[in-house]
Structures are given as structure tokens and as C-alpha cells.
Amino acid sequence: KPGAWQRDVAQALRSALQEASSTSAPASDSAAAPPDAQADAAEPAPPTAWRVARVDIAEVSRRLAPAASMAPLYLRCLTHYRDDLRAQELDVDDAGVALACMLAASLQALEAHAVTLPRWSKLTTWLARNVLPAVDWARASTPEQQQFFARMALLAVALGEWSLEASKRGTAAQATARLMAKQHLEVEFGVDAELLLK
């Protein structure tokens, strides 16, 4: 279960989502956006202030896995995140970017809106403006920071890959992807999926 510091993140995220859903109209990040808004479409998500020394993903996979037999799967997910999604982070892990990716993957599972680079970047920018300043990153120990990064990166890949696969398998599989996203949003942050969608 999430530790005390992650509960602070959860509170800040819930507050920011509630504020955003009640005060602002949703911004479009579809392909129909004006051409100038697409200028940086291929750019990766910008770095955040939530950077931490790179975690040993083999060790954290063993620690996070509920059973030893699942550790290789966890390691494959974390390797995919680090090598394929954020290869530019050579000596640090960025927990803020991983959190944005987890939220984008949740949205992919919930509403079949792909995790595009523009969507990931916009979520990262929104988090950096509305959530990260409300949480004292320095209050978390390095192991807590590394574990938070690993949890978010792991869930980003698991949710993203399963929802992509489920989209090819039909209604029942898609329902399991939505359920998986809803459950992880609730467990990790106490966030109702409908609030995130709003």
C-alpha cells in the first residue's frame, strides 16, 4: 500500500483535479488542434522537479512484486519504461513524468485515448503547475522517492500495454482494462476515475 508521503501526493492530486473540474473547461489535445499547437508534438514530456538518483529496477521489482514469480514481469515493465519511454534520463529517474504517464495510461484504459507524446507532455506540465508544488518532495527519503517513481513507471507500462492489447481483444478485455485503471487510481491516490475524466 502507498506510504504516508504518497498519501500527501494523493491529497494534492485530488484537490487539483477537483479544482480543475470545477473551474476550467477541458483543453483539447486532439489532432484537430491548431498547427502551431502541434509544433512540439514529437517532443518528450518535459522534466519535473521530482528527480531522484536512478533506482535499481531489478531490486525494486523484487521488492514490489507480491510474489517472487511476478518479479520478472515487473522488471520487464520497468525496463520498457526506462529504455523505450524515457531513454533520455541517463542518471536520474523523474517521478513527476512517471506520474503523468501513469495518469495518461489510466485515461487510455478508461476512454481509449492513446498515450501520445502531446498528451503526456500536457499532463506533465499540468502536474508541475498544480500538484507538485503542493507536496514537499524533499520530505520524502530517497528510497521513498525511488519507490514512488518505480510504482508509477510500473503502472504506466502495465496499464498502457494491457489497455492497448485489450483494444484488440474485444469488449470483455476492454472492461478489464477499465477496471484495472479504476482500481489503481483508487488504491494509489483515492481518485475516482470519473473525476480524472472530467
Side-chain angles (χ1 to χ4, degrees), residues 54 80-91:
R54 279 168 69 102
H80 175 67
Y81 181 89
R82 184 175 274 168
D83 293 350
D84 299 325
L85 301 182
R86 291 301 284 186
Q88 69 270 35
E89 290 168 358
L90 300 177
D91 55 0

PDB file of all heavy atoms in Angstrom, residues 54 80-91:
ATOM      1  N   ARG A  54      18.879   7.267 -10.025  1.00  0.00           N
ATOM      2  CA  ARG A  54      18.267   6.089 -10.644  1.00  0.00           C
ATOM      3  C   ARG A  54      18.167   4.925  -9.665  1.00  0.00           C
ATOM      4  O   ARG A  54      19.107   4.593  -8.963  1.00  0.00           O
ATOM      5  CB  ARG A  54      19.066   5.655 -11.871  1.00  0.00           C
ATOM      6  CG  ARG A  54      18.718   6.501 -13.088  1.00  0.00           C
ATOM      7  CD  ARG A  54      19.677   6.289 -14.223  1.00  0.00           C
ATOM      8  NE  ARG A  54      19.591   4.991 -14.832  1.00  0.00           N
ATOM      9  CZ  ARG A  54      18.971   4.750 -15.995  1.00  0.00           C
ATOM     10  NH1 ARG A  54      18.368   5.713 -16.632  1.00  0.00           N
ATOM     11  NH2 ARG A  54      18.975   3.552 -16.505  1.00  0.00           N
ATOM     12  N   HIS A  80      11.092  -1.583 -19.880  1.00  0.00           N
ATOM     13  CA  HIS A  80      10.418  -0.966 -21.028  1.00  0.00           C
ATOM     14  C   HIS A  80      10.245   0.538 -20.793  1.00  0.00           C
ATOM     15  O   HIS A  80      10.505   1.350 -21.688  1.00  0.00           O
ATOM     16  CB  HIS A  80       9.053  -1.620 -21.256  1.00  0.00           C
ATOM     17  CG  HIS A  80       8.252  -0.978 -22.341  1.00  0.00           C
ATOM     18  ND1 HIS A  80       8.616  -1.018 -23.665  1.00  0.00           N
ATOM     19  CD2 HIS A  80       7.097  -0.261 -22.293  1.00  0.00           C
ATOM     20  CE1 HIS A  80       7.723  -0.355 -24.394  1.00  0.00           C
ATOM     21  NE2 HIS A  80       6.798   0.121 -23.588  1.00  0.00           N
ATOM     22  N   TYR A  81       9.822   0.920 -19.599  1.00  0.00           N
ATOM     23  CA  TYR A  81       9.650   2.341 -19.296  1.00  0.00           C
ATOM     24  C   TYR A  81      10.978   3.075 -19.455  1.00  0.00           C
ATOM     25  O   TYR A  81      11.072   4.095 -20.137  1.00  0.00           O
ATOM     26  CB  TYR A  81       9.098   2.548 -17.886  1.00  0.00           C
ATOM     27  CG  TYR A  81       8.899   4.015 -17.566  1.00  0.00           C
ATOM     28  CD1 TYR A  81       7.695   4.644 -17.864  1.00  0.00           C
ATOM     29  CD2 TYR A  81       9.923   4.783 -17.016  1.00  0.00           C
ATOM     30  CE1 TYR A  81       7.514   6.004 -17.612  1.00  0.00           C
ATOM     31  CE2 TYR A  81       9.755   6.134 -16.763  1.00  0.00           C
ATOM     32  CZ  TYR A  81       8.546   6.738 -17.062  1.00  0.00           C
ATOM     33  OH  TYR A  81       8.390   8.082 -16.821  1.00  0.00           O
ATOM     34  N   ARG A  82      12.010   2.542 -18.818  1.00  0.00           N
ATOM     35  CA  ARG A  82      13.301   3.241 -18.799  1.00  0.00           C
ATOM     36  C   ARG A  82      13.975   3.244 -20.175  1.00  0.00           C
ATOM     37  O   ARG A  82      14.475   4.271 -20.625  1.00  0.00           O
ATOM     38  CB  ARG A  82      14.212   2.598 -17.761  1.00  0.00           C
ATOM     39  CG  ARG A  82      15.534   3.317 -17.619  1.00  0.00           C
ATOM     40  CD  ARG A  82      16.357   2.753 -16.511  1.00  0.00           C
ATOM     41  NE  ARG A  82      15.991   3.370 -15.238  1.00  0.00           N
ATOM     42  CZ  ARG A  82      16.392   2.909 -14.062  1.00  0.00           C
ATOM     43  NH1 ARG A  82      17.131   1.828 -13.991  1.00  0.00           N
ATOM     44  NH2 ARG A  82      16.035   3.522 -12.957  1.00  0.00           N
ATOM     45  N   ASP A  83      13.969   2.109 -20.861  1.00  0.00           N
ATOM     46  CA  ASP A  83      14.713   2.007 -22.122  1.00  0.00           C
ATOM     47  C   ASP A  83      13.946   2.542 -23.327  1.00  0.00           C
ATOM     48  O   ASP A  83      14.557   3.076 -24.253  1.00  0.00           O
ATOM     49  CB  ASP A  83      15.103   0.550 -22.399  1.00  0.00           C
ATOM     50  CG  ASP A  83      16.113   0.018 -21.398  1.00  0.00           C
ATOM     51  OD1 ASP A  83      16.665   0.807 -20.604  1.00  0.00           O
ATOM     52  OD2 ASP A  83      16.348  -1.206 -21.406  1.00  0.00           O
ATOM     53  N   ASP A  84      12.627   2.386 -23.318  1.00  0.00           N
ATOM     54  CA  ASP A  84      11.848   2.752 -24.502  1.00  0.00           C
ATOM     55  C   ASP A  84      11.085   4.070 -24.347  1.00  0.00           C
ATOM     56  O   ASP A  84      10.915   4.794 -25.325  1.00  0.00           O
ATOM     57  CB  ASP A  84      10.860   1.635 -24.857  1.00  0.00           C
ATOM     58  CG  ASP A  84      11.569   0.333 -25.178  1.00  0.00           C
ATOM     59  OD1 ASP A  84      12.672   0.382 -25.756  1.00  0.00           O
ATOM     60  OD2 ASP A  84      11.035  -0.740 -24.835  1.00  0.00           O
ATOM     61  N   LEU A  85      10.601   4.353 -23.151  1.00  0.00           N
ATOM     62  CA  LEU A  85       9.789   5.553 -22.976  1.00  0.00           C
ATOM     63  C   LEU A  85      10.594   6.756 -22.491  1.00  0.00           C
ATOM     64  O   LEU A  85      10.286   7.885 -22.848  1.00  0.00           O
ATOM     65  CB  LEU A  85       8.639   5.276 -21.996  1.00  0.00           C
ATOM     66  CG  LEU A  85       7.680   4.147 -22.402  1.00  0.00           C
ATOM     67  CD1 LEU A  85       6.564   4.011 -21.383  1.00  0.00           C
ATOM     68  CD2 LEU A  85       7.114   4.386 -23.793  1.00  0.00           C
ATOM     69  N   ARG A  86      11.621   6.537 -21.660  1.00  0.00           N
ATOM     70  CA  ARG A  86      12.401   7.664 -21.122  1.00  0.00           C
ATOM     71  C   ARG A  86      13.894   7.398 -21.214  1.00  0.00           C
ATOM     72  O   ARG A  86      14.645   7.593 -20.256  1.00  0.00           O
ATOM     73  CB  ARG A  86      12.008   7.921 -19.660  1.00  0.00           C
ATOM     74  CG  ARG A  86      10.621   8.478 -19.484  1.00  0.00           C
ATOM     75  CD  ARG A  86      10.396   9.796 -20.202  1.00  0.00           C
ATOM     76  NE  ARG A  86      11.017  10.923 -19.518  1.00  0.00           N
ATOM     77  CZ  ARG A  86      10.861  12.193 -19.896  1.00  0.00           C
ATOM     78  NH1 ARG A  86      10.123  12.486 -20.943  1.00  0.00           N
ATOM     79  NH2 ARG A  86      11.454  13.152 -19.239  1.00  0.00           N
ATOM     80  N   ALA A  87      14.343   6.984 -22.381  1.00  0.00           N
ATOM     81  CA  ALA A  87      15.763   6.660 -22.565  1.00  0.00           C
ATOM     82  C   ALA A  87      16.661   7.875 -22.357  1.00  0.00           C
ATOM     83  O   ALA A  87      17.853   7.729 -22.083  1.00  0.00           O
ATOM     84  CB  ALA A  87      15.983   6.077 -23.963  1.00  0.00           C
ATOM     85  N   GLN A  88      16.099   9.089 -22.473  1.00  0.00           N
ATOM     86  CA  GLN A  88      16.917  10.295 -22.317  1.00  0.00           C
ATOM     87  C   GLN A  88      17.327  10.550 -20.866  1.00  0.00           C
ATOM     88  O   GLN A  88      18.210  11.352 -20.605  1.00  0.00           O
ATOM     89  CB  GLN A  88      16.191  11.524 -22.883  1.00  0.00           C
ATOM     90  CG  GLN A  88      14.972  11.964 -22.106  1.00  0.00           C
ATOM     91  CD  GLN A  88      13.683  11.300 -22.594  1.00  0.00           C
ATOM     92  OE1 GLN A  88      13.684  10.150 -23.005  1.00  0.00           O
ATOM     93  NE2 GLN A  88      12.578  12.023 -22.524  1.00  0.00           N
ATOM     94  N   GLU A  89      16.700   9.878 -19.899  1.00  0.00           N
ATOM     95  CA  GLU A  89      17.063  10.065 -18.491  1.00  0.00           C
ATOM     96  C   GLU A  89      18.198   9.099 -18.152  1.00  0.00           C
ATOM     97  O   GLU A  89      17.965   7.948 -17.819  1.00  0.00           O
ATOM     98  CB  GLU A  89      15.838   9.840 -17.603  1.00  0.00           C
ATOM     99  CG  GLU A  89      14.822  10.959 -17.761  1.00  0.00           C
ATOM    100  CD  GLU A  89      13.469  10.662 -17.134  1.00  0.00           C
ATOM    101  OE1 GLU A  89      13.268   9.566 -16.593  1.00  0.00           O
ATOM    102  OE2 GLU A  89      12.609  11.545 -17.212  1.00  0.00           O
ATOM    103  N   LEU A  90      19.422   9.586 -18.236  1.00  0.00           N
ATOM    104  CA  LEU A  90      20.585   8.714 -18.129  1.00  0.00           C
ATOM    105  C   LEU A  90      21.035   8.455 -16.702  1.00  0.00           C
ATOM    106  O   LEU A  90      21.489   7.369 -16.377  1.00  0.00           O
ATOM    107  CB  LEU A  90      21.749   9.302 -18.935  1.00  0.00           C
ATOM    108  CG  LEU A  90      21.459   9.487 -20.437  1.00  0.00           C
ATOM    109  CD1 LEU A  90      22.642  10.147 -21.116  1.00  0.00           C
ATOM    110  CD2 LEU A  90      21.123   8.155 -21.080  1.00  0.00           C
ATOM    111  N   ASP A  91      20.944   9.462 -15.827  1.00  0.00           N
ATOM    112  CA  ASP A  91      21.447   9.266 -14.472  1.00  0.00           C
ATOM    113  C   ASP A  91      20.425   9.588 -13.392  1.00  0.00           C
ATOM    114  O   ASP A  91      20.736   9.529 -12.207  1.00  0.00           O
ATOM    115  CB  ASP A  91      22.723  10.083 -14.240  1.00  0.00           C
ATOM    116  CG  ASP A  91      22.533  11.564 -14.539  1.00  0.00           C
ATOM    117  OD1 ASP A  91      21.411  11.952 -14.930  1.00  0.00           O
ATOM    118  OD2 ASP A  91      23.502  12.328 -14.363  1.00  0.00           O
TER     119      ASP A  91
END
